Amino acid sequence: MEQQLKEALLDKCREMEIPVVGVANVERWEKPLFQPWIPEEFYPHSIYPEARSVIVIGLPVTLPVLETSPSIYYRELYKTMNSLLDQYTYRLSSFLTEKGYPSVFVPRDGYGSIKVLLDNPVAFFSHRHAAFLAGLGNFGVNNTILTPEYGPRIRFGTIFTTAELESDNTMEEQLCNHCMRCVRMCPSNALEEKNYPQGITDKKACASFSDELNKRYVSPCGICIKVCPIGEDRRTYRREDASMYENKDDFKEYHNTWEHVRPYGGR
């Protein structure tokens, strides 16, 4: 029955054109894999006590749009993706509930605004850690989850379900190659040249820069994920050479494109 339900769930995800799906038993949160770990109040059962499994879905961030960041173009893509993730996770939670397994979705962004993050730069649940525990990828120096398919250019949504589903294996291979491009190019100097979690993001510096971009209607930043060389999407879009973001002379055509987009639609 457990396997049949998971297959039905995966079929539903394929029908909805969701490319990335992973599952983790809630017990995985109780076995820290590195330190510092997530406090217990952020565990799934602390938010939905009946939860037995956590389902994580991912949607890719379109690289050529992201490359224009900070811009209104990327801002609109970001908003669209958040809306889709909330809709998809809501629909999947309803799908499972109708099959007799009460389930709830977790909103993509668990905070009210960037202003809120300046005082408390934490959401009530970490989709990144859920994606890690569901086997979709692992952390890079930029404090995001890197995936084989899209590197860090992916956004996640989460569902808590009472169904006891088979967990996917966590990813053993470390994807980050420590090129430190994200560290060098971070405009708020929020990253350090250390492995996660030792090199954890200076969240307040990141939030402060995002707040400034938000005043211009061109948040979020996105630079640390666009410059990352990891991900098959770089090959798909013929962006294998990630030095293109620092090398303006040899990639002038691309830089001209990005600079054209940025002044429009914001301040």
Side-chain angles (χ1 to χ4, degrees), residues 160-212:
F160 299 153
T161 180
T162 57
E164 295 189 2
L165 302 173
E166 180 184 0
S167 295
D168 293 302
N169 294 327
T170 55
M171 189 172 294
E172 298 294 331
E173 178 190 2
Q174 181 61 44
L175 297 177
C176 180
N177 67 0
H178 304 93
C179 69
M180 298 303 165
R181 190 169 279 111
C182 59
V183 176
R184 291 197 304 272
M185 298 193 70
C186 176
S188 58
N189 297 313
L191 299 171
E192 296 183 16
E193 294 189 22
K194 297 178 182 178
N195 290 334
Y196 181 89
Q198 288 77 19
I200 193 167
T201 311
D202 182 342
K203 294 179 181 178
K204 294 235 172 166
C206 185
S208 295
F209 184 67
S210 293
D211 184 45
E212 290 303 312

Side-chain angles (χ1 to χ4, degrees), residues 101-236:
Y101 301 93
S103 305
V104 297
F105 88 108
V106 181
R108 173 43 253 182
D109 284 339
Y111 57 89
S113 71
I114 293 174
K115 290 288 188 185
V116 174
L117 292 181
L118 293 174
D119 296 325
N120 184 26
V122 180
F124 70 80
F125 181 74
S126 172
H127 297 282
R128 294 176 301 117
H129 286 83
F132 169 69
L133 292 171
L136 298 181
N138 44 46
F139 284 94
V141 169
N142 61 4
N143 195 24
T144 67
I145 291 293
L146 275 58
T147 65
E149 303 91 347
Y150 309 106
R153 292 167 295 278
I154 184 168
R155 292 186 64 70
F156 299 107
T158 304
I159 301 145
F160 299 153
T161 180
T162 57
E164 295 189 2
L165 302 173
E166 180 184 0
S167 295
D168 293 302
N169 294 327
T170 55
M171 189 172 294
E172 298 294 331
E173 178 190 2
Q174 181 61 44
L175 297 177
C176 180
N177 67 0
H178 304 93
C179 69
M180 298 303 165
R181 190 169 279 111
C182 59
V183 176
R184 291 197 304 272
M185 298 193 70
C186 176
S188 58
N189 297 313
L191 299 171
E192 296 183 16
E193 294 189 22
K194 297 178 182 178
N195 290 334
Y196 181 89
Q198 288 77 19
I200 193 167
T201 311
D202 182 342
K203 294 179 181 178
K204 294 235 172 166
C206 185
S208 295
F209 184 67
S210 293
D211 184 45
E212 290 303 312
L213 293 179
N214 196 47
K215 293 173 184 176
R216 296 165 44 201
Y217 307 110
V218 292
S219 65
C221 172
I223 289 174
C224 70
I225 66 171
K226 78 177 179 184
V227 303
C228 178
I230 306 302
E232 286 299 314
D233 60 333
R234 302 207 69 88
R235 183 177 302 173
T236 300

Side-chain angles (χ1 to χ4, degrees), residues 28 33 42 47 49 72 79 85 94 133 169-170 180 191 248-249 252 255:
R28 285 190 173 175
L33 297 179
F42 295 91
I47 301 167
I72 193 69
K79 288 164 57 180
L85 284 165
S94 297
L133 292 171
N169 294 327
T170 55
M180 298 303 165
L191 299 171
K248 189 171 182 177
D249 291 337
K252 188 174 182 180
H255 283 264

Side-chain angles (χ1 to χ4, degrees), residues 38-110:
I38 318 160
E40 186 173 351
E41 59 265 33
F42 295 91
Y43 291 7
H45 65 70
S46 297
I47 301 167
Y48 184 45
E50 296 87 351
R52 295 295 176 267
S53 302
V54 174
I55 302 158
V56 184
I57 66 169
L59 297 180
V61 178
T62 310
L63 179 55
V65 177
L66 171 64
E67 287 174 333
T68 68
S69 67
S71 70
I72 193 69
Y73 200 0
Y74 176 47
R75 180 186 178 96
E76 292 303 313
L77 172 64
Y78 186 90
K79 288 164 57 180
T80 298
M81 293 184 68
N82 280 358
S83 177
L84 286 172
L85 284 165
D86 285 348
Q87 291 179 49
Y88 288 172
T89 50
Y90 174 81
R91 289 174 59 189
L92 288 170
S93 67
S94 297
F95 170 77
L96 290 167
T97 300
E98 289 169 3
K99 287 189 172 294
Y101 301 93
S103 305
V104 297
F105 88 108
V106 181
R108 173 43 253 182
D109 284 339

